[in-house]
Amino acid sequence: MVRLSSAGLALAGAVLALLFCGGLLVYGAGRGIDLTDEIFYLVWARDPEAYALLYQPFGYLLHPLYALCGGDVARYRLVGFAITAAAGALLGRQLAPEGTRHRTFATFGAAAALVIYFPWIVTPSYNSAANVGAMLVLAGAAALLRGEGLPVRVTASLAIACGLCAAAFAKPPLFALGSVLVVALAAWSFRRNRGRSIALLGAMALAVPLIALFLPLPRIPGLLARIAASQHILALPNTPLHLPIKVLGDWAAVPPLLSASALAAIGALALRRARWGKWLGYAAIAFGLLYLASTIPDTLDGGIPEFPGLALVLIATGYAALVARRDALLLALLLIAPFAVALGTFNNQWAQLDFSMVFPLLAVFRLASEDAVRWRQAAAYAVGIAAAPLLLLAATQSPYSLSDSLFAQQIPVRHPLTGSPLLVDTETADFLNGAHGRAQGALLVDLSGTGPGVAAALGAKAPVLLWLNPATATWPDVVWDRLSEADRERAWFVVPVLPLFAPSGPARWLAAHRGGYCAIPLPRMMFWWEERALELWRPCAAPARGAGR
């Protein structure tokens, strides 16, 4: 009776979580325009060949979906939500232990997968595509490791092939890691189960024609050369030597409570069979929960919690040290997946785990289903089920790079890039209306570091690079060195110059030729949680545009 009761409550909780998360995202699909990352994603999805320098080829993957949706941003987002939820449902179903309700795990998997859109980056991107790819690969691997028969093998091979295809375009390092995993599983299965091994190798072979659907195979060497050249020119730290240094350096930003949780989790796994292993597992969970609790006051004040993804991975790892007895390989893959997805990302590697919280949430849910300690099982179910809605709700109050909460997005405008109708907050509406067409067709060097949405709103074209990212001091010089003297003389600029860019060539040019430029003030706008008063500087010989708008 207790088992039936807990199973029923788990199903009810999973359904409520899915309805809540799905409802929030559907409500938000037609609301909000992010002038930073979202414009970056949409430019590449609209035209994968938009710029010669390319360090992430996700545009080739997303372009057919973008075209299918007719460039309508709200519809594009909704289709992305549906694909993500379907991949999560498939993974959840394959993780269900024998004798349990697959629909409970499928429902929870769909709800947990929607947390990919934390912290409210809801337009399909390389992050969402990479996580979908990882979910499909793990779903296929789980099906092969735990099931038999030709239908299972065919379905699993197709899931793995689709996942590898998504990973190849979303994050090439993830594709490499996924391929290594598939080959390793095939080698491990060769003597134990020839059929499974053939299915895994078949998935690798099937991934090739799937990739060719998005990019003809003869063009792939050129794409790889283009990516390698871009990595070198832009000095990105994604080489085998520099990436480990970056990963370790990024740990400096991790809070002490999570460092303590990480040490406890490592100790719990290492001493799992020893007496102290149990207490270290509890310590890892306790430190992780304490950290999450410490973020509540700031979240209630309108902030966004930092590092929840890392906290959930550490909590799930500590819990696994206490409970896991079966399917250890699958559970290990769930806990490793967020780190594999994060590799090669431009920003802090540990913060990138925030996009991959579906994996630790599913691990906690799976472990809870077999936990014989009732109070601990109930607590695990409560944490797992409540986490997804609470995280998305927190994101709606402080959406990534939006000026106001999701519920304040009420003013109808047209998206500056696609022209599709959306609702935005007052500040965003004022900025878009005040900037619209002010630099139509101009070659624009944005030295403010705010984001590619500024150029999109102005109707301008950024040369060489879509976005002079505020984390990289050298990129303005990369752009400037590739412009002719005539291009430099006719370029328009967005200021004030970001201090990081002050020593760069275009900033020094602008300072030396300041008398030849006329300033056009733009409406104040929130960028990166800071209100900025930007100005558009045009050569005074160039006519002003968009006057009276």
Side-chain angles (χ1 to χ4, degrees), residues 47 80 172 233 469:
D47 180 10
I233 292 168
N469 194 287

Side-chain angles (χ1 to χ4, degrees), residues 23-358:
L24 271 181
L25 288 168
V26 169
Y27 174 81
R31 289 171 162 79
I33 295 176
D34 168 19
L35 297 177
T36 60
D37 296 63
E38 179 194 70
I39 302 294
F40 180 83
Y41 306 145
L42 288 172
V43 167
W44 287 111
R46 188 174 65 171
D47 180 10
E49 304 285 346
Y51 289 87
L53 293 180
L54 173 74
Y55 49 92
Q56 290 166 321
F58 62 91
Y60 295 98
L61 178 72
L62 296 180
H63 176 70
L65 183 62
Y66 176 88
L68 181 66
C69 295
D72 184 277
V73 174
R75 191 181 305 135
Y76 184 50
R77 291 170 176 174
L78 287 170
V79 175
F81 302 156
I83 292 171
T84 301
L90 180 63
L91 177 57
R93 189 183 187 282
Q94 298 304 326
L95 289 173
E98 295 179 6
T100 61
R101 299 179 181 178
H102 287 79
R103 62 183 178 181
T104 301
F105 275 79
T107 304
F108 180 74
L114 293 178
V115 188
I116 285 172
Y117 298 101
F118 175 94
W120 211 259
I121 300 180
V122 294
T123 298
S125 68
Y126 63 90
N127 283 313
S128 59
N131 279 286
V132 166
M135 285 190 285
L136 291 175
V137 170
L138 290 186
L144 287 175
L145 290 173
R146 305 176 63 213
E148 295 292 341
L150 183 60
V152 171
R153 291 171 185 166
V154 171
T155 303
S157 293
L158 181 59
I160 292 172
C162 289
L164 289 175
C165 175
F169 290 102
K171 289 187 178 181
L174 178 63
F175 171 77
L177 292 173
S179 300
V180 169
L181 169 65
V182 171
V183 171
L185 288 176
W188 178 71
S189 303
F190 185 73
R191 291 187 177 180
R192 297 171 177 82
N193 190 320
R194 294 282 180 91
R196 179 193 299 162
S197 182
I198 292 172
L200 286 163
L201 294 177
M204 289 285 296
L206 182 59
V208 175
L210 287 178
I211 290 171
L213 291 177
F214 298 92
L215 186 69
L217 294 180
R219 293 180 57 190
I220 289 180
L223 174 65
L224 294 176
R226 183 177 163 201
I227 293 173
S230 300
Q231 295 270 339
H232 175 71
I233 292 168
L234 300 177
L236 293 174
N238 291 333
T239 64
L241 176 63
H242 290 95
L243 187 56
I245 297 173
K246 180 184 185 301
V247 170
L248 291 174
D250 287 344
W251 190 268
V254 173
L257 278 172
L258 291 185
S259 295
S261 181
L263 291 174
I266 293 170
L269 292 176
L271 302 173
R272 187 176 172 191
R273 299 184 183 280
R275 182 178 179 182
W276 285 101
K278 174 181 177 180
W279 297 110
L280 287 172
Y282 279 120
I285 296 171
F287 285 130
L289 290 174
L290 280 173
Y291 169 73
L292 291 177
S294 72
T295 66
I296 292 175
D298 185 53
T299 302
L300 292 176
D301 285 339
I304 194 76
E306 295 184 301
F307 298 104
L310 178 57
L312 286 175
V313 168
L314 295 173
I315 289 168
T317 303
Y319 192 29
L322 298 175
V323 176
R325 295 294 182 270
R326 293 187 294 171
D327 291 334
L329 176 58
L330 285 178
L331 288 166
L333 292 176
L334 280 176
L335 297 176
I336 292 171
F339 302 100
V341 173
L343 275 180
T345 303
F346 184 77
N347 298 318
N348 185 294
Q349 299 288 318
W350 306 105
Q352 288 298 307
L353 271 60
D354 293 352
F355 294 103
S356 304
M357 289 186 278
V358 56

Side-chain angles (χ1 to χ4, degrees), residues 183-540:
V183 171
L185 288 176
W188 178 71
S189 303
F190 185 73
R191 291 187 177 180
R192 297 171 177 82
N193 190 320
R194 294 282 180 91
R196 179 193 299 162
S197 182
I198 292 172
L200 286 163
L201 294 177
M204 289 285 296
L206 182 59
V208 175
L210 287 178
I211 290 171
L213 291 177
F214 298 92
L215 186 69
L217 294 180
R219 293 180 57 190
I220 289 180
L223 174 65
L224 294 176
R226 183 177 163 201
I227 293 173
S230 300
Q231 295 270 339
H232 175 71
I233 292 168
L234 300 177
L236 293 174
N238 291 333
T239 64
L241 176 63
H242 290 95
L243 187 56
I245 297 173
K246 180 184 185 301
V247 170
L248 291 174
D250 287 344
W251 190 268
V254 173
L257 278 172
L258 291 185
S259 295
S261 181
L263 291 174
I266 293 170
L269 292 176
L271 302 173
R272 187 176 172 191
R273 299 184 183 280
R275 182 178 179 182
W276 285 101
K278 174 181 177 180
W279 297 110
L280 287 172
Y282 279 120
I285 296 171
F287 285 130
L289 290 174
L290 280 173
Y291 169 73
L292 291 177
S294 72
T295 66
I296 292 175
D298 185 53
T299 302
L300 292 176
D301 285 339
I304 194 76
E306 295 184 301
F307 298 104
L310 178 57
L312 286 175
V313 168
L314 295 173
I315 289 168
T317 303
Y319 192 29
L322 298 175
V323 176
R325 295 294 182 270
R326 293 187 294 171
D327 291 334
L329 176 58
L330 285 178
L331 288 166
L333 292 176
L334 280 176
L335 297 176
I336 292 171
F339 302 100
V341 173
L343 275 180
T345 303
F346 184 77
N347 298 318
N348 185 294
Q349 299 288 318
W350 306 105
Q352 288 298 307
L353 271 60
D354 293 352
F355 294 103
S356 304
M357 289 186 278
V358 56
F359 302 107
L361 287 175
L362 275 170
V364 168
F365 201 79
R366 173 68 168 77
L367 290 163
S369 69
E370 295 185 351
D371 195 344
V373 180
R374 294 302 172 200
W375 70 265
R376 196 170 61 193
Q377 180 190 57
Y381 273 138
V383 170
I385 290 171
L390 288 175
L391 284 165
L392 277 186
L393 182 61
T396 65
Q397 301 305 312
S398 182
Y400 180 85
S401 201
L402 298 189
S403 298
D404 212 334
S405 78
L406 175 67
F407 307 104
Q409 313 293 316
Q410 300 291 344
I411 301 175
V413 298
R414 291 281 175 176
H415 196 283
L417 197 65
T418 70
S420 54
L422 290 170
L423 300 177
V424 299
D425 54 82
T426 302
E427 190 172 50
T428 302
D430 290 344
F431 182 83
L432 292 176
N433 291 331
H436 180 71
R438 290 280 188 166
Q440 193 66 42
L443 185 138
L444 185 75
V445 178
D446 186 350
L447 294 173
S448 68
T450 48
V454 174
L458 292 167
K461 168 73 173 180
V464 184
L465 282 174
L466 173 58
W467 183 4
L468 297 182
N469 194 287
T472 312
T474 58
W475 286 10
D477 284 322
V478 170
V479 170
W480 202 243
D481 290 345
R482 282 159 178 76
L483 295 182
S484 67
E485 193 68 22
D487 287 336
R488 293 177 181 182
E489 290 178 355
R490 68 184 180 90
W492 297 36
F493 296 86
V494 175
V495 298
V497 177
L498 191 75
L500 184 72
F501 295 161
S504 67
R508 287 186 281 108
W509 164 281
L510 191 59
H513 299 81
R514 184 169 182 171
Y517 288 84
C518 297
I520 303 172
L522 299 177
R524 298 183 70 87
M525 179 69 187
M526 186 76 70
F527 292 99
W528 308 109
W529 303 279
E530 178 188 353
E531 194 170 59
R532 302 283 300 277
L534 302 180
E535 290 183 347
L536 174 65
W537 284 28
R538 63 176 178 85
C540 292

